Amino acid sequence: QVSVINTVDTSHEDMIHDAQMDYYGTRLATCSSDRSVKIFDVRNGGQILIADLRGHEGPVWQVAWAHPMYGNILASCSYDRKVIIWKEENGTWEKTYEYTGHDSSVNSVCWAPHDYGLILACGSSDGAISLLSYTGDGQWEVKKISNAHTIGCNAVSWAPAVVPGSLIEQPSGQKPNYIKRFASGGCDNLVKIWKEEDGQWKEEQKLEAHSDWVRDVAWAPSIGLPTSTIASCSQDGRVFIWTYDDASGNSWSPKLLHKFNDVVWHVSWSITANILAVSGGDNKVTLWKESVDGLWACISDVNKGQGGVSAVTEGQQNEQ
Amino acid sequence: PSQVVPGADPSARQLCFAWGPAEVLVCETLFGHRGGSPSRGEGGPGRALLPGTLTACVAGTGEGGPSSSRLFVVRKDQDIYIQTLRKLFNESHGIFIGLQRSEEELAGKSRKAQLVQVSKNYRSVIRACMEDMHQAAILTRDPALHSQYSTQVSILSAMELIWNLCEILFVEAAAAGPLLLRLLDWVRLHVCDVDNMVHEVLSSENPSKHELFWNVVDVFVLQGRMDEARHLLSKEASANPTSVNMYKILDDLMKKMPVPSLGNTQTLTEMELKWQHWHEECQRYLQDGTFASNSHMESICKILLGDEDAILEKKDLMTTWYHFLVTRLLYSHPTVKPMELRFYAQACMDLFLGGESSPEPLDTILMAAFEFEMHQVIKECSIALSNWWFVAHLTDLLDHCKLLQSHNLYFGSNMREFLLLEYASGLFSHHSLWQLGVDYFDHCPEYGRVYLELHIERIPLNTEQKALKVLRICEQRQMHEQVRSICKIMAMKALRNNRLGSALSWSIRAKDAAFATLISDRFLKDYCESGCFSDLDLIDNLGPSMLLSDRLTFLGKYREFHRLYGEKRFSEAAKLLLMLMTAHIAPCSFWMTLLTDALPLLEQKEVIFSAEQTYELMRCLEDLTAGKSDKQKFQDDDVETMKVEMLRLALARNLARVIVKEGTLEGS
């Protein structure tokens, strides 16, 4: 059974495209076709508007919170081809950086694991992916991967930070040698994995399985296993779970989660990566969990509807 | 299984979804209006969708406006948010920890006794909670709350019922003989619907005249409470002299009924033999028509004989099929073996429900227990109950009884760990119960640590106290990454609130050199502007952590200079000041300030700087001014030029004095 513990009236004047909780669940950022980004304090069931950020000239597609160790920082991307990074300074939210290096709509933004520093990946309809890295003193360095996906890039998602080799504590000040990777999904029906080598970003893998535009990709958080997992969803109604097993060779193997009857727009992992949420065109959000025998099972649907909450039994839990 | 979000607009909108640390966000959206769509005769992504098109789309359907701007924060109805259950979580946590640490070396009987005790402890916590909840239900005036509390009481009661049965069958693993006695206790404890009636009759002036008298006698017989039944019957006998004979016989039969013993006074075979004889005796009396004139007593005799129909007739007094089961077993198979239970259980449930009603979840769970299908019990409980508390703790206990085969779930962990992880994860969404969760993760060998790492990062660090608490937990477990991360977050927070001292001590704890440099610069900047230091205590007591960053070292040493000056230890101060420049500890940008600080030392009556030192100072000054380009010199305002001039003058004067001083022989 679920309860709505808070209904936030965002007062957006147009469609909301994304809403994200911050790290602790105390603040909420929303963005809309009305070109604004709003931030609310939602502690204890309340909803206090903290900021109404204007700066975009078109619908804002996504927002992303940076790790709290860098302060209160939010990134937004829009149809107006801009990526704006907002920061809270002295109690007020302001634009701290604006990136205009794309030639068309920027569809997705995603912050890298905090271990790498403050780095933002942006995917655009111009087919390129930019990486904005904060170098200090209000300065940002830009690296661009042109033609990452033909026609356009719809989604970007970072791999969790894992230090290769030994895990002994590094002496202070020394950065461990992380291998940075992220996944992207595009209009070329592909999911691509990118890896940084010698300061340059290279395409490491092409994952082919979808027959239409890839709408979203989500790299699962790590629970310490030597495997990596990525979820991808597409215009073709399919959601794939890709697994990379360090032990069994160098490739990613896809498993079809489900074929939906409509476009699947959005996939996201819970914090401990044991549940995948899938938002589809059929007006539902479904939650999936992997069972004992490696099959994925739907544990519940979240529907919109009228009236009260229907009594619900906990979904099939997969213990034997 | 569908979960409906109340109040969401049922028009043709889609749902956008985002995970929060504890809650989830759901909001209405229309995905089609972003990022374009694959060419179906339209233009490329985004290009075909002009702002005008978007607005028209929304307006056209007559929606948009307030109804499209709502967002729902949804959370699973977790019991952790119920205040009155707090005791359950806290105390069971203590029992859990105790169990994990208990002596595994104890073998056989003593280990079993220990585990049974743990089980009883858990049950008493459930009952205590039930009591509290019951009190709360009575005391509240709010009908909604009353209903909520009452529901909780029934849920807790069901939990205790199931746990108790599991204790008898699995933990204690009662053998044939004691098994029946335990089951009788179980029924007596849990079927309380008749308690009021019993009390009413017993407390009336003339029980045997009470209209419900025979009902109560029947209840006692059905529950095997022979002494109490006989006691009541004696009242009837004295009131009705005509039935004295009948009564004496019945009383005798009831007195003689063989029951399994708990001790070793008789073997099962002996008991069975005795029971057979007794059963035959009852049979004879019944067939002789001894009780023919009193239908009540006759029915009791039939019950003693285990007559199914006679027992079933008293359905309303038993209220549940499992009561029926135990009664039947008492009077037909008192030496029933554990593995035989399943057959009787199914048959009894079918007979009792009689096709009128279908089994409810509770019935299914109990049946699974009678069938010794432990995994089934756990699975059904997971489905029926709204939280993981019950199954997590019960499974853990059963695992300690070495009763569960390890079923590898997808991440290679076993069921016990799976359930504990789920339970503990749930605790983390609570502002104070998360601390209990830490201990549970500690006892999950495979994934406990990584789950803890992922969850502990999400705990809001509202107060310094909480942050320290979380830190201590991370430090105790050598979770270095998390320690560093938390310290950095706290440092950043302090800096944002202009609490420089706090920010500095957090960045030192985080061993974050870059941040320490940043904050030291802030301190120095503040000093330049205000002429004094804040947080002197902190800077004075930096100790070895001063070495974290060069700037921090400078800050510490610079402060030390000021201290020495304040204590009038001028020559030491002078030496330090000079060293800061010559050893390049001070950043060049600060040299001017340092030289200006040297002025008062140069102006002292006593000569402080030696000739060599003075030469050094002069060189520093020249390096500083030479380093400036002509353009910069041009831009220097009068104050700057005057400062430089004053310094040159002071240095020259000092040099003059010191040459004379050093050149003068002592005494002359």
Side-chain angles (χ1 to χ4, degrees):
Chain A
Q1 225 165 335
V2 295
S3 289
V4 173
I5 58 170
N6 202 351
T7 305
V8 179
D9 188 348
T10 61
S11 302
H12 273 299
E13 288 151 13
D14 206 330
M15 194 69 52
I16 299 173
H17 292 290
D18 196 15
Q20 296 289 334
M21 289 281 216
D22 74 348
Y23 229 66
Y24 304 118
T26 50
R27 282 180 170 179
L28 171 60
T30 59
C31 62
S32 157
S33 270
D34 71 1
R35 305 165 191 202
S36 72
V37 173
K38 296 193 187 193
I39 302 179
F40 298 87
D41 180 328
V42 289
R43 277 175 295 181
N44 299 323
Q47 37 172 307
I48 305 168
L49 178 67
I50 299 176
D52 187 342
L53 304 172
R54 308 275 167 168
H56 281 295
E57 287 149 3
V60 188
W61 301 130
Q62 266 192 15
V63 284
W65 289 95
H67 192 277
M69 72 165 63
Y70 296 110
N72 285 341
I73 296 178
L74 185 71
S76 62
C77 65
S78 159
Y79 176 76
D80 70 357
R81 309 180 226 147
K82 291 197 276 202
V83 173
I84 300 182
I85 300 179
W86 314 86
K87 186 169 177 164
E88 189 185 27
E89 206 78 74
N90 297 325
T92 45
W93 281 87
E94 283 154 5
K95 188 192 299 198
T96 186
Y97 180 63
E98 186 176 289
Y99 175 64
T100 47
H102 281 292
D103 302 322
S104 82
S105 173
V106 184
N107 301 318
S108 177
V109 279
C110 184
W111 290 101
H114 67 85
D115 316 65
Y116 301 163
L118 198 55
I119 305 178
L120 184 71
C122 323
S124 164
S125 287
D126 67 6
I129 297 175
S130 335
L131 292 125
L132 315 177
S133 309
Y134 186 65
T135 48
D137 262 335
Q139 300 303 313
W140 293 78
E141 181 191 85
V142 178
K143 289 202 183 128
K144 202 170 186 187
I145 306 172
S146 301
N147 290 317
H149 291 274
T150 50
I151 310 179
C153 172
N154 293 323
V156 283
S157 172
W158 287 88
V162 172
V163 184
S166 83
L167 290 164
I168 47 175
E169 184 176 346
Q170 302 284 341
S172 64
Q174 242 192 329
K175 276 203 163 184
N177 281 334
Y178 290 111
I179 295 184
K180 302 187 186 110
R181 280 192 177 89
F182 69 89
S184 65
C187 302
D188 50 6
N189 307 351
L190 296 174
V191 173
K192 292 191 180 181
I193 313 256
W194 305 88
K195 177 177 164 182
E196 194 191 42
E197 252 171 51
D198 301 321
Q200 296 297 319
W201 285 94
K202 304 212 164 81
E203 181 187 303
E204 194 186 28
Q205 282 276 347
K206 257 201 249 291
L207 306 181
E208 296 183 61
H210 287 292
S211 55
D212 208 334
W213 292 14
V214 177
R215 283 292 174 190
D216 200 9
V217 286
W219 204 308
S222 161
I223 47 167
L225 289 173
T227 55
S228 295
T229 311
I230 296 178
S232 67
C233 65
S234 157
Q235 200 84 23
D236 66 8
R238 291 192 181 84
V239 176
F240 280 100
I241 310 285
W242 302 84
T243 343
Y244 181 94
D245 203 325
D246 260 350
S248 64
N250 285 341
S251 65
W252 291 83
S253 37
K255 192 188 287 185
L256 178 69
L257 176 79
H258 191 65
K259 164 113 181 31
F260 292 83
N261 294 327
D262 203 335
V263 180
V264 184
W265 293 93
H266 190 47
V267 281
S268 65
W269 295 96
S270 63
I271 303 177
T272 44
N274 55 352
I275 307 180
L276 178 70
V278 178
S279 306
D282 53 356
N283 305 345
K284 288 200 289 197
V285 173
T286 44
L287 303 176
W288 300 78
K289 226 173 176 167
E290 196 177 8
S291 74
V292 183
D293 39 9
L295 294 174
W296 285 84
C298 181
I299 60 170
S300 72
D301 304 343
V302 182
N303 261 322
K304 40 167 193 37
Q306 256 175 333
V309 183
S310 63
V312 133
T313 55
E314 179 72 71
Q316 263 73 51
Q317 299 311 317
N318 293 298
E319 51 307 279
Q320 296 281 329
Chain B
S2 220
Q3 295 171 345
V4 176
V5 177
D9 196 326
S11 62
R13 285 187 212 275
Q14 290 140 0
L15 281 181
C16 182
F17 182 96
W19 291 98
E23 310 78 12
V24 297
L25 289 178
V26 176
C27 76
E28 299 155 339
T29 188
L30 266 176
F31 289 114
H33 291 185
R34 53 173 290 192
S37 36
S39 53
R40 302 225 169 99
E42 289 166 25
R47 282 176 239 263
L49 295 175
L50 302 167
T53 323
L54 287 166
T55 326
C57 213
V58 175
T61 49
E63 277 128 8
S67 68
S68 68
S69 69
R70 278 177 322 174
L71 215 145
F72 304 99
V73 183
V74 175
R75 188 183 66 199
K76 260 193 68 200
D77 279 341
Q78 297 213 64
D79 289 345
I80 54 174
Y81 299 109
I82 300 177
Q83 181 66 24
T84 32
L85 283 180
R86 196 64 61 83
K87 182 192 282 198
L88 184 70
F89 301 119
N90 278 314
E91 297 197 6
S92 61
H93 164 263
I95 300 172
F96 174 83
I97 300 293
L99 176 59
Q100 310 309 308
R101 295 183 188 155
S102 67
E103 293 294 310
E104 288 255 6
E105 291 89 54
L106 288 179
K109 276 218 177 94
S110 30
R111 177 66 175 160
K112 184 184 269 194
Q114 198 179 41
L115 293 167
V116 170
Q117 188 55 49
V118 169
S119 180
K120 284 181 163 40
N121 290 342
Y122 275 124
R123 282 196 297 124
S124 70
V125 173
I126 300 176
R127 275 201 305 272
C129 236
M130 236 164 78
E131 210 16 75
D132 288 347
M133 200 70 81
H134 183 66
Q135 284 305 312
I138 294 175
L139 291 173
T140 185
R141 288 184 202 277
D142 179 354
L145 265 184
H146 176 88
S147 146
Q148 190 189 72
Y149 289 143
S150 306
T151 317
Q152 271 303 325
V153 171
S154 1
I155 295 175
L156 285 168
S157 167
M159 283 185 356
E160 212 255 311
L161 176 74
I162 300 168
W163 193 302
N164 198 341
L165 184 60
C166 290
E167 181 184 301
I168 296 169
L169 298 177
F170 308 140
V171 185
E172 193 182 342
L179 175 61
L180 182 70
L181 294 176
R182 292 276 183 261
L183 288 174
L184 273 172
D185 282 336
W186 178 65
V187 162
R188 287 171 197 159
L189 192 58
H190 290 103
V191 180
C192 346
D193 290 0
V194 294
D195 284 358
N196 281 342
M197 178 178 68
V198 170
H199 180 76
E200 202 186 299
V201 170
L202 287 179
S203 49
S204 72
E205 264 194 44
N206 211 340
S208 54
K209 290 283 179 272
H210 199 290
E211 55 172 356
L212 297 174
F213 170 78
W214 283 106
N215 283 356
V216 175
V217 176
D218 284 339
V219 165
F220 288 151
V221 172
L222 291 166
Q223 292 186 7
R225 291 150 81 172
M226 289 312 180
D227 292 337
E228 292 168 78
R230 287 171 55 215
H231 180 75
L232 259 191
L233 274 178
S234 66
K235 294 209 202 301
E236 155 76 1
S238 40
N240 261 345
T242 44
S243 43
V244 162
N245 275 338
M246 241 192 305
Y247 158 73
K248 278 208 185 114
I249 295 172
L250 188 59
D251 181 74
D252 192 53
L253 284 177
M254 288 167 72
K255 191 165 79 176
K256 285 197 302 193
M257 180 172 112
V259 281
S261 71
L262 280 172
N264 287 331
T265 51
Q266 63 177 5
T267 65
L268 270 182
T269 335
E270 278 173 14
M271 197 240 138
E272 271 168 10
L273 219 52
K274 276 197 216 160
W275 191 83
Q276 206 53 44
H277 284 308
W278 172 83
H279 189 90
E280 279 159 12
E281 197 181 336
C282 295
Q283 193 76 28
R284 262 179 279 128
Y285 278 117
L286 182 70
Q287 277 163 354
D288 283 346
T290 322
F291 305 106
S293 56
N294 187 323
S295 62
H296 292 294
M297 293 212 209
E298 190 174 58
S299 133
I300 290 176
C301 186
K302 283 189 182 165
I303 292 174
L304 292 180
L305 282 170
D307 184 316
E308 214 170 69
D309 296 321
I311 303 176
L312 255 183
E313 237 176 83
K314 310 291 175 185
K315 206 166 154 174
D316 294 333
L317 296 177
M318 293 187 290
T319 68
T320 63
W321 62 270
Y322 37 95
H323 186 330
F324 174 50
L325 167 67
V326 175
T327 306
R328 257 211 81 205
L329 289 173
L330 172 63
Y331 293 116
S332 53
H333 300 98
T335 55
V336 62
K337 298 193 182 55
M339 287 305 154
E340 293 169 343
L341 280 174
R342 66 186 66 211
F343 308 116
Y344 297 113
Q346 190 62 56
C348 285
M349 183 165 91
D350 294 338
L351 270 173
F352 195 89
L353 295 178
E356 285 169 7
S357 38
S358 43
E360 289 184 5
L362 178 60
D363 299 324
T364 326
I365 295 167
L366 293 172
M367 183 60 69
F370 283 123
E371 291 171 351
F372 281 79
E373 299 281 356
M374 252 171 277
H375 292 275
Q376 191 68 20
V377 172
I378 295 167
K379 180 174 176 178
E380 298 287 337
C381 287
S382 305
I383 296 173
L385 293 167
S386 62
N387 82 358
W388 298 99
W389 179 86
F390 182 82
V391 285
H393 289 86
L394 180 62
T395 309
D396 174 61
L397 178 60
L398 293 178
D399 190 57
H400 276 88
C401 298
K402 308 259 189 282
L403 291 171
L404 296 176
Q405 286 168 289
S406 193
H407 262 79
N408 277 349
L409 300 178
Y410 93 95
F411 37 67
S413 165
N414 62 26
M415 173 147 63
R416 167 193 172 271
E417 179 154 328
F418 171 84
L419 295 172
L420 285 173
L421 289 172
E422 293 282 348
Y423 173 64
S425 298
L427 288 174
F428 266 86
S429 46
H430 190 275
H431 65 87
S432 66
L433 287 177
W434 64 268
Q435 293 168 81
L436 302 180
V438 174
D439 288 323
Y440 284 98
F441 280 141
D442 281 345
H443 290 103
C444 292
E446 280 213 57
Y447 294 98
R449 192 192 166 83
V450 66
Y451 266 63
L452 180 58
E453 284 171 5
L454 289 168
H455 276 106
I456 209 156
E457 286 190 315
R458 301 295 185 132
I459 296 174
L461 306 168
N462 307 327
T463 61
E464 190 130 327
Q465 237 183 346
K466 197 167 185 187
L468 288 170
K469 203 183 270 194
V470 175
L471 260 185
R472 210 179 325 123
I473 291 171
C474 295
E475 279 165 355
Q476 279 168 351
R477 288 159 182 76
Q478 276 100 49
M479 287 163 52
H480 302 298
E481 279 309 310
Q482 280 67 29
V483 170
R484 215 166 299 164
S485 170
I486 290 166
C487 291
K488 281 187 180 170
I489 293 170
M490 293 308 286
M492 179 61 82
K493 235 189 198 163
L495 187 63
R496 266 205 319 271
N497 292 329
N498 267 319
R499 290 181 292 117
L500 291 182
S502 181
L504 184 61
S505 56
W506 281 113
S507 52
I508 289 172
R509 198 160 175 179
K511 304 208 187 98
D512 187 350
F515 213 71
T517 303
L518 196 105
I519 298 171
S520 305
D521 271 334
R522 279 283 291 269
F523 269 115
L524 292 166
K525 181 158 152 270
D526 283 356
Y527 167 76
C528 287
E529 286 171 10
S530 66
C532 64
F533 284 109
S534 56
D535 301 284
L536 284 175
D537 266 344
L538 176 62
I539 303 174
D540 284 343
N541 293 310
L542 281 174
S545 52
M546 206 191 286
L547 300 171
L548 179 61
S549 102
D550 285 343
R551 196 55 49 83
L552 185 59
T553 316
F554 171 61
L555 178 66
K557 291 283 173 204
Y558 187 51
R559 165 63 200 145
E560 198 184 321
F561 162 72
H562 280 274
R563 239 200 4 249
L564 290 170
Y565 188 92
E567 290 166 15
K568 300 210 193 303
R569 289 152 68 179
F570 294 129
S571 58
E572 283 173 71
K575 225 193 306 183
L576 179 57
L577 184 68
L578 190 57
M579 190 264 287
L580 287 177
M581 283 186 285
T582 54
H584 292 277
I585 297 177
C588 289
S589 51
F590 222 75
W591 280 21
M592 202 57 204
T593 315
L594 290 176
L595 287 167
T596 320
D597 283 334
L599 264 176
L601 291 172
L602 292 165
E603 311 267 292
Q604 292 281 335
K605 280 219 189 77
E606 232 191 286
V607 167
I608 297 166
F609 286 102
S610 72
E612 208 177 310
Q613 286 174 328
T614 316
Y615 281 126
E616 287 282 351
L617 282 172
M618 285 170 141
R619 192 161 47 79
C620 289
L621 181 58
E622 290 316 309
D623 281 347
L624 194 58
T625 50
K628 286 188 185 178
S629 69
D630 284 328
K631 185 161 161 229
Q632 274 176 309
K633 282 187 194 155
F634 191 71
Q635 283 172 343
D636 272 347
D637 59 6
D638 287 333
V639 177
E640 275 303 303
T641 7
M642 191 158 78
K643 260 202 246 174
V644 174
E645 285 307 311
M646 273 179 70
L647 274 168
R648 289 216 175 100
L649 188 58
L651 283 167
R653 274 214 295 263
N654 193 68
L655 191 57
R657 287 199 292 160
V658 79
I659 287 175
V660 170
K661 179 179 169 219
E662 283 172 11
T664 309
L665 291 171
E666 291 286 273
S668 60

